[in-house]
Amino acid sequence: MTRIASAETRSIPADGEPSPVPHAGHGAERAADVPVVQLDGVVRHFGGTAALDGISLSVRKGEVVGIIGRSGAGKSTLIRCLNGLERPDRGTIAIEGRDITGLSEAELQPLRRRIGMIFQHFNLLSAKTVAENVMLPLKIEGMPRAERRERAAELLDLVGLSAKADAYPSALSGGQKQRVGIARALAARPALLLSDEATSALDPETTASILALLKDINQRLGLTILLVTHEMEVVRGVADRVAVIDAGKIVEDGPVWSVFSAPKAATTRSLLGAIRPDLPPAIVAELAARGERVLGVDLVGPEAATLLAALSIELKAPVRLVHGGIDYIQGQSVGRFFITLPAGAALPQAIAFLTRHGAHVETTGHVPDHV
Ligand code: ADP
């Protein structure tokens, strides 16, 4: 992360009025159906390590996409390739329809300005006020001072920090610093906001407020957001879609509610960890000792709310919920239940009923041999 941070800081001159830079992606390339980001078969090796091993990904305008992976999965390399700080060995990367892989450093500069970035450690300039930090990218664009001030005021209002315009970063909390980071990233009206672990240094409550702000900005401005993170909570809080990266490959890609309700890859299941309820081992042991039959049931949709009651009616005796419940993700009811059946109830009848109602059923814990 520091590598990107320092490169980003280097690209901002300390002083002076740089000449205006034209925006990239003109004319037909700006059409609404051109993806904001398009990667095709991107490969990047370091010695014998494939940091990126054939990444293909398309991000449409207005989408919020989470890219999640463990440490070493290839996330930083992917960000550096998107910024043009690293060149892929193979494959193409297009920003707003323009292939950036063959561009010179000078040609990359205006394209970089189409990507606003926010960072884990905020990367604010401590000797400049909040408003001056926000105005910096506009100074680089060559915007006149009065206009810059006006735009910074608008942006600070957007992120709820108008009262801090003349404060220095050292007087702000972590969450406030990240709000300034967001305002600065949006200053030059980028096509894409790229978040590099932007909430990793924040406590859960502040993280939630920053994610809510990002979602609000996405909805109000239609801004496209790519969030690179190792935390599923971040993805859950704000993304529409998630791509899971492991050893340089995308191992799973889909709507957040779908990936959360039925993760396919082992990496996804492991990253979901505590977010997706699993039967605690102590309960497994207790139920096994009692010879109880346990079913793991997944169901997405409004029926999740009434499923267990309906099953109890079908079996003519109450089923017992031992763990799990209903989560609400992107407006979907995502049900994940661990249940035991009433004594004497037929397991095949229960499974047939649940499956008929669209649930995915797994037998968990102890299942007697005769069923
Ligand atoms: P992440 O950001 O997900 O932690 P990285 O993109 O930093 O992953 O790293 C992916 C893989 O590529 C790791 O195995 C890492 O050691 C390797 N790698 C990344 N950058 C370099 C580099 N400049 N030199 C050598 N190996 C690198």
Side-chain angles (χ1 to χ4, degrees):
M1 313 300 154
T2 13
R3 289 179 308 229
I4 299 156
S6 57
E8 186 77 8
T9 313
R10 268 203 310 276
S11 71
I12 299 170
D15 219 334
E17 295 279 340
S19 54
V21 185
H23 278 172
H26 296 284
E29 287 177 355
R30 275 273 172 95
D33 55 354
V34 172
V36 176
V37 177
Q38 174 89 46
L39 289 93
D40 283 302
V42 173
V43 174
R44 178 69 170 105
H45 281 96
F46 293 104
T49 308
L52 300 177
D53 193 8
I55 299 277
S56 296
L57 179 77
S58 184
V59 181
R60 292 187 307 277
K61 184 162 169 28
E63 258 192 314
V64 183
V65 177
I67 296 192
I68 186 159
R70 292 196 197 91
S71 179
K75 303 183 297 296
S76 299
T77 309
L78 184 65
I79 291 174
R80 291 170 62 78
C81 284
L82 280 171
N83 271 334
L85 296 172
E86 197 92 71
R87 281 180 203 279
D89 301 326
R90 284 206 304 280
T92 57
I93 299 173
I95 305 292
E96 295 183 290
R98 177 141 188 228
D99 185 356
I100 64 165
T101 40
L103 299 184
S104 68
E105 192 55 30
E107 288 169 323
L108 275 170
Q109 284 302 331
L111 276 165
R112 283 204 185 110
R113 265 168 229 139
R114 301 296 295 148
I115 303 178
M117 271 201 78
I118 50 175
F119 307 92
Q120 182 173 2
H121 298 296
F122 325 120
N123 294 14
L124 303 179
L125 298 185
S126 56
K128 298 212 178 275
T129 65
V130 161
E132 285 165 350
N133 267 282
V134 175
M135 286 190 286
L136 212 55
L138 304 174
K139 196 170 183 181
I140 293 166
E141 269 198 355
M143 187 184 275
R145 187 171 170 80
E147 252 179 77
R148 290 204 303 263
R149 286 215 80 88
E150 204 175 304
R151 176 90 181 121
E154 256 172 49
L155 287 158
L156 288 174
D157 184 42
L158 181 74
V159 301
L161 269 188
S162 298
K164 300 283 182 189
D166 297 321
Y168 284 87
S170 57
L172 304 183
S173 68
Q176 289 172 330
K177 284 180 191 162
Q178 196 55 288
R179 284 171 187 268
V180 180
I182 292 170
R184 182 186 56 186
L186 298 181
R189 303 182 196 276
L192 176 73
L193 179 66
L194 181 53
S195 163
D196 181 5
E197 301 280 7
T199 54
S200 296
L202 304 175
D203 62 64
E205 204 179 318
T206 312
T207 293
S209 80
I210 293 293
L211 296 180
L213 173 64
L214 291 178
K215 192 76 200 166
D216 181 54
I217 289 170
N218 161 255
Q219 282 167 355
R220 277 160 62 175
L221 311 180
L223 185 71
T224 312
I225 304 179
L226 193 59
L227 296 131
V228 177
T229 178
H230 67 280
E231 293 172 307
M232 273 294 187
E233 277 294 356
V234 169
V235 169
R236 184 193 184 290
V238 68
D240 305 313
R241 224 177 90 206
V242 58
V244 182
I245 181 169
D246 187 29
K249 288 190 166 74
I250 289 180
V251 293
E252 191 153 0
D253 181 355
V256 172
W257 66 265
S258 163
V259 171
F260 274 51
S261 60
K264 293 180 187 68
T267 313
T268 317
R269 283 197 292 273
S270 136
L271 285 164
L272 276 169
I275 291 192
R276 183 174 152 82
D278 230 331
L279 208 50
I283 297 184
V284 174
E286 187 193 318
L287 294 171
R290 292 212 304 262
E292 293 243 23
R293 293 166 292 184
V294 187
L295 297 185
V297 182
D298 287 287
L299 179 63
V300 177
E303 262 198 284
T306 51
L307 186 69
L308 299 190
L311 179 62
S312 296
I313 292 167
E314 167 81 3
L315 299 176
K316 299 190 176 61
V319 298
R320 189 161 76 97
L321 176 66
V322 290
H323 195 60
I326 298 179
D327 200 358
Y328 296 93
I329 305 175
Q330 295 179 280
Q332 293 273 7
S333 303
V334 177
R336 179 160 170 82
F337 314 108
F338 292 92
I339 59 172
T340 58
L341 300 182
L347 186 62
Q349 185 191 357
I351 293 176
F353 178 86
L354 292 167
T355 310
R356 217 165 47 240
H357 284 75
H360 174 77
V361 186
E362 275 173 14
T363 48
T364 312
H366 177 77
V367 179
D369 295 339
H370 62 271
V371 288

